[in-house]
Amino acid sequence: QQQVKQSPQSLIVQKGGISIINCAYENTAFDYFPWYQQFPGKGPALLIAIRPDVSEKKEGRFTISFNKSAKQFSLHIMDSQPGDSATYFCAARSSGGSNYKLTFGKGTLLTVNP
Amino acid sequence: DSGVTQTPKHLITATGQRVTLRCSPRSGDLSVYWYQQSLDQGLQFLIQYYNGEERAKGNILERFSAQQFPDLHSELNLSSLELGDSALYFCASSVTWQSETQYFGPGTRLLVL
């Protein structure tokens, strides 16, 4: 059972455009939602994260929008740059019980054309 | 550079064999996680250790085992390897077992022929 569904699988954006990646989750116990960025040959790196008590979080050109009632969250990359070309993973985690593992979406390959 | 190191970087082996992947966490981090990344399954959590003790288990096969040593480095042992075990294996670390931020290593690419 895939607990975090991510779309689209791949995305091509022109330089300067807005990249939008969406995720939906099922487990209402999730209370921490990070986005990871992965470049080829590297491990994933934390990009930005949000908790469900806020609807939006912005760090530079990266913004997470969170809709608790719809159980959806999305990553917006403003003024996308070729250097943003990477695979992006959304994830979710619950802070209850003894298992704090991250559940990842399947990833979105973003290509930003110059 | 996350500060997490993994060796080897690449590993090519045959079906039925056994391999050991090694991970050194960031200085000061007590918790280590292992993930498997494949094209069809994405990033799958395998197992977590905290200060030498197993903390949580995910989709880890019985042919796989792991441990965390007193110096906090961890090893993932994969035995009776099958073609389908070919994947990227990542180690991540965090300060405690409850920490939100996990720092990933560069991964070990395993190819089973």
Side-chain angles (χ1 to χ4, degrees), chain B residues 17-21 46 60 63-65 76-81 85 89 110:
Chain B
Q17 295 298 304
R18 172 189 168 96
V19 297
T20 297
L21 313 184
L46 295 178
I60 188 165
R63 300 183 285 108
F64 297 180
S65 64
L76 179 66
N77 300 295
L78 315 176
S79 61
S80 303
L81 285 167
D85 297 327
Y89 291 84
L110 173 67

Side-chain angles (χ1 to χ4, degrees), chain A residues 47-111:
Chain A
L47 185 63
I48 186 173
I50 197 168
R51 290 192 160 275
D53 52 349
V54 297
S55 60
E56 186 175 282
K57 183 174 181 181
K58 185 175 180 179
E59 288 183 4
R61 296 184 294 107
F62 300 90
T63 300
I64 300 179
S65 296
F66 188 84
N67 186 329
K68 188 174 180 178
S69 60
K71 293 187 284 185
Q72 295 175 347
F73 58 110
S74 59
L75 176 69
H76 292 63
I77 306 175
M78 312 300 287
D79 187 26
S80 298
Q81 300 297 312
D84 296 331
S85 298
T87 300
Y88 291 81
F89 294 92
C90 62
R93 193 193 81 162
S94 64
S95 301
S98 59
N99 193 337
Y100 283 63
K101 73 179 182 79
L102 282 171
T103 299
F104 284 87
K106 290 201 171 183
T108 296
L109 177 61
L110 172 65
T111 302

Side-chain angles (χ1 to χ4, degrees), chain B:
Chain B
D1 184 5
S2 67
V4 178
T5 60
Q6 289 187 247
T7 56
K9 201 171 174 110
H10 302 277
L11 199 48
I12 301 175
T13 188
T15 55
Q17 295 298 304
R18 172 189 168 96
V19 297
T20 297
L21 313 184
R22 184 188 167 104
C23 167
S24 292
R26 290 187 328 149
S27 176
D29 285 0
L30 300 178
S31 193
V32 168
Y33 311 75
W34 285 98
Y35 291 87
Q36 180 191 58
Q37 185 177 41
S38 60
L39 281 174
D40 56 340
Q41 293 295 321
L43 264 167
Q44 296 280 312
F45 168 73
L46 295 178
I47 197 163
Q48 178 195 11
Y49 280 83
Y50 174 70
N51 208 18
E53 301 287 327
E54 182 184 303
R55 187 71 218 181
K57 233 172 182 175
N59 303 320
I60 188 165
L61 300 172
E62 282 189 19
R63 300 183 285 108
F64 297 180
S65 64
Q67 59 185 126
Q68 186 179 27
F69 294 86
D71 67 352
L72 301 177
H73 91 271
S74 178
E75 293 181 356
L76 179 66
N77 300 295
L78 315 176
S79 61
S80 303
L81 285 167
E82 302 175 359
L83 296 177
D85 297 327
S86 296
L88 266 168
Y89 291 84
F90 287 104
C91 166
S93 73
S94 64
V95 177
T96 73
W97 62 277
Q98 299 163 304
S99 297
E100 291 178 339
T101 303
Q102 295 180 25
Y103 298 87
F104 282 75
T108 293
R109 184 174 292 278
L110 173 67
L111 180 60
V112 183
L113 300 175

